Amino acid sequence: MGFSLYIHIPYCESKCPYCDFNSYGVSQWPEVEYVDALVGEMETRARTAPWAGQRVKTIFFGGGTPSLFMPASIAGVIQAADRLFGLVPDCEVTLEANPGTVDQSKLVDLRAAGVNRISFGAQSFNPAILKVLGRIHDAEQTRQAASMAQRAGFERLNLDLIFAVPGQQIEDVYRDIAVATSLGPDHISAYNLTFEEKTIFFTAMKRGLIVPLSDDEQAAMFEVVRTELPRRGYPMYEISNYAPAGHEARHNLSYWRAESYLGLGAGAHSCALDDTFSQGVRWWNQPLPSRYLAAVAERGIAEEGRELIEKRKLEQEFVFLNLRLRAGFEFREFERRFGEPFDARFGEVTAPLVQGGLLVRDKDRLFLSDRGLEIADSVFAQFM
Amino acid sequence: MTAPELLRNFSIIAHIDHGKSTLADRLLERTGALSKRELKEQFLDSMELERERGITIKARSVRLNYVARDGKSYVLNLIDTPGHVDFAYEVSRSLAACEGALLVVDASQGVEAQTLANVYMALDHGLEIIPVINKIDLPGADVERTRNEIEQIVGLDASNAILTSAKEGIGIDEVLEAVVTRIPAPPANGARPLRALVFDSWYDPYEGVISLVRVFDGELRRGMRLQLMGTGKRGELMRLGFFTPHEQPADRLGPGEVGFIVAGIKDVADMRVGDTVTDADRPASEPLAGFKELKPMVFAGLYPTEANQYTALRDAIDKLRLNDASLVFEPETSQALGFGFRAGFLGLLHMDIAQERLEREFGLDLVVTAPTVAYRVRTTSGETKIVDNPSRLPPENEIEAIEEPFILAEIHVPEAYLGAVMRLCEERRGVQRELRYAGHQRVILSYEMPLAEIVFDFYDRLKSVSRGYASLDYEFLDFRPEHLVKLDIRINGEVVDALSMIVHRDRAFERGRALCEKMRELIPRQMFEVAIQAAIGARIIARESVKPLRKNVTAKCYGGDITRKRKLLEKQKEGKKRMKQVGRVEIPQEAFLALLKVGE
């Protein structure tokens, strides 16, 4: 056994108008206190079930903008994880970075600190689109950052792209893919822009100031993405993720495979499953950084809420998370976990979806068809 | 008991907002029926609210004591009335209990259309009508113009109209004096055998049916044995009294008096509005005129969206019927919708109210199918059947003829809208039987029309083409053979029985097309394409399709998103529960009523 460790860094230089993550645009941040709190929280968790005695399989620094932190701070967190839990030998350590916040020496230092995979929020290479998205970086900085990262020894490099941005044309999507792949990353995430509640984009949409592309346009762009990236050597392995075999983000795979994860930092979520998969617990931390810091200082943890996930819900989550993967899941994995054949639990729901061409089932597995990918949520809702 | 010459029975006819409840409040206050404190609690307003929620569609009555300028003490009974064509009969019974009515008109608004139907009905009952011009204190008040309107539109002499401001308490005494001096006293027929008109009935869980009655002849005495002349039901008069508006018990109610009676009767259907109460030991020879056992005119299927709510629905309908004698129902099954009930209603408003009460008060989630009238079918084997559910129509080759119910519609309309109203009636297959002028610029039209043409949106259309000034009443005539066909709606090729309807052959294409279009608007895009077809037998006459959903996928789903994502999916699933699954298509509840929404 082992688990995935997520570290949340909630600070950004400025908040992007489409972003609904737990992040705060700030000009300075309490880096030392925050790292102390992360380590403090980690120490508490390391003493308690189910994490005590388990090793860390992957670490992911997400945000926010983790690249705002000094490499020494990142190193401190990685070392603490190694000291308190132990890292497996080939532990994947990913850090999200804004291309505008790195330089060559920082990348070298991050690599030396133990980060072995870096993920840049490129979003687009079209200046007009970057402007709509409110990004602080430009396309040239992304090119530079990618090449500096490669020079710093990052063999594993992800670029994030966003498509279906208002004003974007289908040609822009082709172009972004061409540029992104030309930079030689080993992984690309391509996200369909969504208008999430409590974002500036959402408010602007409600007021009619910004109009999302039509469903037809968005679906057409999604189709371009999921045919063009594989053609260029990046097969789709999840609804928004593309990489050659063996280069998948192992940390994220653990979410889609519905495995346990420990999240540290402001607003981070954790999920602990019991050994028999008969139930699980998910909890989340205090999202406000100041409250998070105060809570950890006082109690050693900063839990704000939790929910018990009973077996039936775990089964549902297993299905809708695994079906996000291009390869879906194996029936025998479902049965191994839940002690019941998949068909006994979901056969009736599945049959019409297979018959209707939304799901594909072969002897061993179940996965979404191309058409199913476009309306995956409608398919998933059938299992609820 | 009050001597008949000291009694006055009246109601108030007013457009909503023209001050009916304020005036009623003032009358209650002036006669000491309610203290100022009680009035502050807006006694009558709370009743208005009840009605707004559709809970009380019933009339109420209040007894007021008034010492007039002639020095005598009068008893005034203020009888309230509901106001929609579906309940026209109940209004007519309330008015039949009165000798007079106040017509309240807002001096700044003038005569509003909705009051006319009740005014005409009151005139038909021979009531003395006293025009009251209210809100004269408002800046926009124009008394002379209002007086003119009352004379020209309503056709009443308004020269002696009473000017009031109920809000400011102006003219209240004059109103009370006019009630005493201008409205006739009820006739004194105390020696005759008892005849009392039931003008309202409701169910009380402790006492059974409580009825409001107006005594015409003889008297009601506690302990006497009663008989309902219409239903034949008997009971012992256990309790009687009147409302002031607080309940006051009494031992007797004499000729002309109004009050409530409790006779140990358990079912409102046994003590119906319009029936005559008589003395079981000394019965009257003839009941009071005008008793009609209200027959449902419109039928629709009521189905729970979830099959496990069937029993709850049955219990809820049972409870609803306790207070609603005109609601009828029986179990039925639909291939598309499962187990439910076929229910009969007086009209669409009645249906809406029943649906709303079932959903709100009993927490049910219902699918209501397209309403239909009841047809009479003669089969080739010589049988005659009443069909109140189009999907139960016998196969075409077994049908000799389909007969359609016809009614006689009586429409009162100001001359200015005559042309528009006549056109509407003719569009609806109406045949004119009479056109006569009744008073000043007021026309009474009679049309023979198919019931099916008027139960749906006719009333709304009538109001709209006459700017609201036309009023409608109708009575059943007979069944007549017409060229009728069954129109089916097929969803993805399969006939959905709950959507079938019977239509006139000449209308079938137009109806089918409009219905398919409306269904296309109402059925949301879903995972698969939905084909909607209208068909007569095997012949497709219209088709539409709902294109499949193009995109519904969450782009990001990582550790922190999973809980939220599950909740979103659960919500999507919840939303689907409000839809009915037919094959693999989810049909929203309102699509089953698409027929009514055509043209919206």
mmCIF file of all heavy atoms in Angstrom, chain B residues 290-314:
data_model
loop_
_atom_site.group_PDB
_atom_site.id
_atom_site.type_symbol
_atom_site.label_atom_id
_atom_site.label_comp_id
_atom_site.label_asym_id
_atom_site.label_seq_id
_atom_site.Cartn_x
_atom_site.Cartn_y
_atom_site.Cartn_z
ATOM 1 N N GLY B 290 -83.368 25.179 -9.010
ATOM 2 C CA GLY B 290 -81.971 25.435 -9.368
ATOM 3 C C GLY B 290 -80.960 24.410 -8.884
ATOM 4 O O GLY B 290 -79.761 24.592 -9.085
ATOM 5 N N PHE B 291 -81.430 23.283 -8.267
ATOM 6 C CA PHE B 291 -80.432 22.312 -7.830
ATOM 7 C C PHE B 291 -79.874 21.552 -9.023
ATOM 8 O O PHE B 291 -80.626 21.028 -9.834
ATOM 9 C CB PHE B 291 -81.051 21.322 -6.839
ATOM 10 C CG PHE B 291 -80.072 20.270 -6.377
ATOM 11 C CD1 PHE B 291 -78.856 20.641 -5.828
ATOM 12 C CD2 PHE B 291 -80.354 18.912 -6.507
ATOM 13 C CE1 PHE B 291 -77.950 19.691 -5.403
ATOM 14 C CE2 PHE B 291 -79.446 17.953 -6.078
ATOM 15 C CZ PHE B 291 -78.246 18.340 -5.526
ATOM 16 N N LYS B 292 -78.567 21.592 -9.121
ATOM 17 C CA LYS B 292 -77.914 20.812 -10.167
ATOM 18 C C LYS B 292 -76.881 19.950 -9.480
ATOM 19 O O LYS B 292 -76.113 20.457 -8.673
ATOM 20 C CB LYS B 292 -77.160 21.735 -11.156
ATOM 21 C CG LYS B 292 -78.036 22.441 -12.135
ATOM 22 C CD LYS B 292 -77.200 22.943 -13.298
ATOM 23 C CE LYS B 292 -76.442 24.217 -12.967
ATOM 24 N NZ LYS B 292 -75.907 24.911 -14.126
ATOM 25 N N GLU B 293 -76.874 18.664 -9.797
ATOM 26 C CA GLU B 293 -75.749 17.888 -9.300
ATOM 27 C C GLU B 293 -74.617 18.144 -10.279
ATOM 28 O O GLU B 293 -74.721 17.779 -11.449
ATOM 29 C CB GLU B 293 -76.094 16.409 -9.234
ATOM 30 C CG GLU B 293 -75.034 15.667 -8.465
ATOM 31 C CD GLU B 293 -75.436 14.233 -8.176
ATOM 32 O OE1 GLU B 293 -76.633 13.995 -7.962
ATOM 33 O OE2 GLU B 293 -74.551 13.384 -8.173
ATOM 34 N N LEU B 294 -73.575 18.821 -9.800
ATOM 35 C CA LEU B 294 -72.520 19.229 -10.715
ATOM 36 C C LEU B 294 -71.828 18.002 -11.274
ATOM 37 O O LEU B 294 -71.388 17.132 -10.550
ATOM 38 C CB LEU B 294 -71.509 20.103 -9.992
ATOM 39 C CG LEU B 294 -71.996 21.519 -9.722
ATOM 40 C CD1 LEU B 294 -70.840 22.338 -9.172
ATOM 41 C CD2 LEU B 294 -72.542 22.163 -10.986
ATOM 42 N N LYS B 295 -71.746 17.962 -12.592
ATOM 43 C CA LYS B 295 -71.102 16.826 -13.243
ATOM 44 C C LYS B 295 -69.730 17.270 -13.722
ATOM 45 O O LYS B 295 -69.591 18.358 -14.272
ATOM 46 C CB LYS B 295 -71.947 16.400 -14.445
ATOM 47 C CG LYS B 295 -73.271 15.774 -14.053
ATOM 48 C CD LYS B 295 -73.185 14.272 -14.284
ATOM 49 C CE LYS B 295 -74.368 13.486 -13.755
ATOM 50 N NZ LYS B 295 -75.660 14.114 -13.749
ATOM 51 N N PRO B 296 -68.752 16.428 -13.522
ATOM 52 C CA PRO B 296 -67.443 16.805 -14.051
ATOM 53 C C PRO B 296 -67.500 16.955 -15.566
ATOM 54 O O PRO B 296 -68.223 16.232 -16.240
ATOM 55 C CB PRO B 296 -66.535 15.646 -13.640
ATOM 56 C CG PRO B 296 -67.436 14.554 -13.228
ATOM 57 C CD PRO B 296 -68.739 15.143 -12.853
ATOM 58 N N MET B 297 -66.802 17.929 -16.064
ATOM 59 C CA MET B 297 -66.812 18.232 -17.492
ATOM 60 C C MET B 297 -65.503 17.811 -18.150
ATOM 61 O O MET B 297 -65.429 17.591 -19.340
ATOM 62 C CB MET B 297 -66.947 19.749 -17.676
ATOM 63 C CG MET B 297 -68.281 20.286 -17.223
ATOM 64 S SD MET B 297 -69.502 19.860 -18.453
ATOM 65 C CE MET B 297 -70.929 20.740 -17.852
ATOM 66 N N VAL B 298 -64.454 17.792 -17.350
ATOM 67 C CA VAL B 298 -63.114 17.572 -17.883
ATOM 68 C C VAL B 298 -62.486 16.407 -17.136
ATOM 69 O O VAL B 298 -62.620 16.306 -15.917
ATOM 70 C CB VAL B 298 -62.245 18.826 -17.639
ATOM 71 C CG1 VAL B 298 -60.856 18.622 -18.176
ATOM 72 C CG2 VAL B 298 -62.881 20.037 -18.269
ATOM 73 N N PHE B 299 -61.840 15.530 -17.875
ATOM 74 C CA PHE B 299 -61.216 14.355 -17.261
ATOM 75 C C PHE B 299 -59.727 14.330 -17.579
ATOM 76 O O PHE B 299 -59.324 14.675 -18.689
ATOM 77 C CB PHE B 299 -61.876 13.077 -17.776
ATOM 78 C CG PHE B 299 -63.343 13.022 -17.452
ATOM 79 C CD1 PHE B 299 -64.272 13.659 -18.270
ATOM 80 C CD2 PHE B 299 -63.782 12.391 -16.302
ATOM 81 C CE1 PHE B 299 -65.615 13.650 -17.953
ATOM 82 C CE2 PHE B 299 -65.122 12.369 -15.985
ATOM 83 C CZ PHE B 299 -66.051 13.004 -16.811
ATOM 84 N N ALA B 300 -58.948 13.908 -16.605
ATOM 85 C CA ALA B 300 -57.510 13.811 -16.852
ATOM 86 C C ALA B 300 -56.945 12.714 -15.970
ATOM 87 O O ALA B 300 -57.538 12.375 -14.940
ATOM 88 C CB ALA B 300 -56.832 15.145 -16.542
ATOM 89 N N GLY B 301 -55.825 12.161 -16.389
ATOM 90 C CA GLY B 301 -55.150 11.157 -15.580
ATOM 91 C C GLY B 301 -54.239 11.849 -14.578
ATOM 92 O O GLY B 301 -53.573 12.817 -14.910
ATOM 93 N N LEU B 302 -54.229 11.347 -13.341
ATOM 94 C CA LEU B 302 -53.297 11.832 -12.330
ATOM 95 C C LEU B 302 -52.374 10.676 -11.982
ATOM 96 O O LEU B 302 -52.840 9.626 -11.535
ATOM 97 C CB LEU B 302 -54.033 12.268 -11.055
ATOM 98 C CG LEU B 302 -55.056 13.394 -11.141
ATOM 99 C CD1 LEU B 302 -55.681 13.641 -9.776
ATOM 100 C CD2 LEU B 302 -54.382 14.659 -11.631
ATOM 101 N N TYR B 303 -51.086 10.875 -12.188
ATOM 102 C CA TYR B 303 -50.115 9.807 -11.914
ATOM 103 C C TYR B 303 -48.990 10.335 -11.047
ATOM 104 O O TYR B 303 -48.539 11.456 -11.251
ATOM 105 C CB TYR B 303 -49.515 9.278 -13.229
ATOM 106 C CG TYR B 303 -50.513 8.518 -14.057
ATOM 107 C CD1 TYR B 303 -51.369 9.209 -14.915
ATOM 108 C CD2 TYR B 303 -50.625 7.145 -13.970
ATOM 109 C CE1 TYR B 303 -52.305 8.517 -15.671
ATOM 110 C CE2 TYR B 303 -51.557 6.457 -14.717
ATOM 111 C CZ TYR B 303 -52.397 7.141 -15.561
ATOM 112 O OH TYR B 303 -53.328 6.471 -16.298
ATOM 113 N N PRO B 304 -48.529 9.513 -10.091
ATOM 114 C CA PRO B 304 -47.334 9.931 -9.350
ATOM 115 C C PRO B 304 -46.117 9.805 -10.261
ATOM 116 O O PRO B 304 -46.063 8.887 -11.084
ATOM 117 C CB PRO B 304 -47.261 8.926 -8.197
ATOM 118 C CG PRO B 304 -48.019 7.730 -8.669
ATOM 119 C CD PRO B 304 -49.015 8.185 -9.697
ATOM 120 N N THR B 305 -45.160 10.741 -10.156
ATOM 121 C CA THR B 305 -43.953 10.586 -10.982
ATOM 122 C C THR B 305 -43.180 9.355 -10.543
ATOM 123 O O THR B 305 -42.504 8.734 -11.333
ATOM 124 C CB THR B 305 -43.015 11.802 -10.913
ATOM 125 O OG1 THR B 305 -42.882 12.179 -9.563
ATOM 126 C CG2 THR B 305 -43.540 12.953 -11.720
ATOM 127 N N GLU B 306 -43.300 9.012 -9.264
ATOM 128 C CA GLU B 306 -42.647 7.795 -8.809
ATOM 129 C C GLU B 306 -43.701 6.788 -8.385
ATOM 130 O O GLU B 306 -44.603 7.105 -7.609
ATOM 131 C CB GLU B 306 -41.718 8.092 -7.650
ATOM 132 C CG GLU B 306 -40.436 8.735 -8.113
ATOM 133 C CD GLU B 306 -39.573 9.119 -6.934
ATOM 134 O OE1 GLU B 306 -38.782 8.267 -6.509
ATOM 135 O OE2 GLU B 306 -39.721 10.237 -6.450
ATOM 136 N N ALA B 307 -43.540 5.572 -8.891
ATOM 137 C CA ALA B 307 -44.564 4.550 -8.700
ATOM 138 C C ALA B 307 -44.871 4.317 -7.221
ATOM 139 O O ALA B 307 -46.012 4.064 -6.849
ATOM 140 C CB ALA B 307 -44.115 3.249 -9.357
ATOM 141 N N ASN B 308 -43.864 4.469 -6.368
ATOM 142 C CA ASN B 308 -44.113 4.160 -4.952
ATOM 143 C C ASN B 308 -44.970 5.213 -4.250
ATOM 144 O O ASN B 308 -45.306 5.064 -3.086
ATOM 145 C CB ASN B 308 -42.789 3.933 -4.210
ATOM 146 C CG ASN B 308 -41.901 5.171 -4.243
ATOM 147 O OD1 ASN B 308 -42.372 6.269 -4.547
ATOM 148 N ND2 ASN B 308 -40.635 4.995 -3.930
ATOM 149 N N GLN B 309 -45.346 6.267 -4.962
ATOM 150 C CA GLN B 309 -46.222 7.264 -4.348
ATOM 151 C C GLN B 309 -47.701 7.005 -4.658
ATOM 152 O O GLN B 309 -48.558 7.824 -4.306
ATOM 153 C CB GLN B 309 -45.851 8.667 -4.837
ATOM 154 C CG GLN B 309 -44.579 9.206 -4.199
ATOM 155 C CD GLN B 309 -44.479 10.713 -4.362
ATOM 156 O OE1 GLN B 309 -44.954 11.281 -5.337
ATOM 157 N NE2 GLN B 309 -43.887 11.363 -3.389
ATOM 158 N N TYR B 310 -47.985 5.866 -5.278
ATOM 159 C CA TYR B 310 -49.364 5.597 -5.692
ATOM 160 C C TYR B 310 -50.329 5.595 -4.506
ATOM 161 O O TYR B 310 -51.376 6.239 -4.542
ATOM 162 C CB TYR B 310 -49.432 4.261 -6.430
ATOM 163 C CG TYR B 310 -50.835 3.829 -6.778
ATOM 164 C CD1 TYR B 310 -51.498 4.393 -7.865
ATOM 165 C CD2 TYR B 310 -51.513 2.895 -6.002
ATOM 166 C CE1 TYR B 310 -52.792 4.013 -8.176
ATOM 167 C CE2 TYR B 310 -52.810 2.516 -6.310
ATOM 168 C CZ TYR B 310 -53.443 3.070 -7.394
ATOM 169 O OH TYR B 310 -54.721 2.707 -7.698
ATOM 170 N N THR B 311 -49.952 4.884 -3.448
ATOM 171 C CA THR B 311 -50.839 4.795 -2.282
ATOM 172 C C THR B 311 -51.014 6.165 -1.641
ATOM 173 O O THR B 311 -52.114 6.537 -1.240
ATOM 174 C CB THR B 311 -50.247 3.820 -1.236
ATOM 175 O OG1 THR B 311 -49.717 2.709 -1.948
ATOM 176 C CG2 THR B 311 -51.297 3.339 -0.283
ATOM 177 N N ALA B 312 -49.922 6.908 -1.574
ATOM 178 C CA ALA B 312 -49.992 8.252 -1.000
ATOM 179 C C ALA B 312 -50.941 9.122 -1.825
ATOM 180 O O ALA B 312 -51.715 9.909 -1.283
ATOM 181 C CB ALA B 312 -48.599 8.875 -0.958
ATOM 182 N N LEU B 313 -50.896 8.953 -3.138
ATOM 183 C CA LEU B 313 -51.780 9.730 -4.010
ATOM 184 C C LEU B 313 -53.237 9.357 -3.752
ATOM 185 O O LEU B 313 -54.112 10.216 -3.659
ATOM 186 C CB LEU B 313 -51.406 9.497 -5.481
ATOM 187 C CG LEU B 313 -52.331 10.135 -6.526
ATOM 188 C CD1 LEU B 313 -52.398 11.649 -6.364
ATOM 189 C CD2 LEU B 313 -51.871 9.788 -7.947
ATOM 190 N N ARG B 314 -53.478 8.048 -3.615
ATOM 191 C CA ARG B 314 -54.857 7.610 -3.375
ATOM 192 C C ARG B 314 -55.389 8.215 -2.079
ATOM 193 O O ARG B 314 -56.498 8.762 -2.036
ATOM 194 C CB ARG B 314 -54.911 6.083 -3.299
ATOM 195 C CG ARG B 314 -56.339 5.543 -3.349
ATOM 196 C CD ARG B 314 -56.374 4.059 -3.035
ATOM 197 N NE ARG B 314 -55.729 3.833 -1.739
ATOM 198 C CZ ARG B 314 -55.130 2.692 -1.417
ATOM 199 N NH1 ARG B 314 -55.056 1.699 -2.259
ATOM 200 N NH2 ARG B 314 -54.565 2.560 -0.226
#
